[in-house]
Amino acid sequence: MDDLISRKALLEKAWEADTQCGYVQVVDVGDIEDAPAVDAAPVARGEWIELHEENGHEVGTCSHCRHVRIVDNYCPNCGAKMDGGNDND
């Protein structure tokens, strides 16, 4: 799996103070390789499909794992965020 790095930490490393002319850009490949990784996991995304009503509750099927469940903001089976897909809009 790819590492997720801290943009803030890398930007802080990218620019170092120079007393002569302000800031100078000093990033090299080693700085990027050594950038601190953040603890994160990719977000699974999906949407509720095949919606119907059961016992007064809206029920749907998770498009990511096909688990049938009362409609919510996420799927309790696979953790998918129900925001409509992977286009990150």
Side-chain angles (χ1 to χ4, degrees):
M1 182 185 328
D2 292 335
D3 287 334
L4 300 175
I5 61 173
S6 169
R7 179 182 297 146
K8 180 181 177 185
L10 189 57
L11 285 171
E12 287 172 357
K13 180 67 178 167
W15 298 93
E16 288 184 0
D18 182 314
T19 56
Q20 300 282 333
C21 61
Y23 287 90
V24 292
Q25 192 171 2
V26 294
V27 171
D28 63 21
V29 173
D31 292 330
I32 296 170
E33 290 174 344
D34 295 338
V38 296
D39 186 18
V43 175
R45 298 182 186 276
E47 61 184 326
W48 293 114
I49 57 176
E50 302 169 8
L51 297 171
H52 62 279
E53 191 167 315
E54 232 175 74
N55 298 326
H57 298 285
E58 188 174 23
V59 175
T61 302
C62 172
S63 64
H64 186 72
C65 72
R66 300 303 207 198
H67 182 76
V68 177
R69 169 73 184 177
I70 294 174
V71 172
D72 203 348
N73 293 329
Y74 70 96
C75 175
N77 186 57
C78 68
K81 182 177 180 182
M82 295 302 176
D83 61 359
N86 285 324
D87 27 353
N88 298 321
D89 288 341

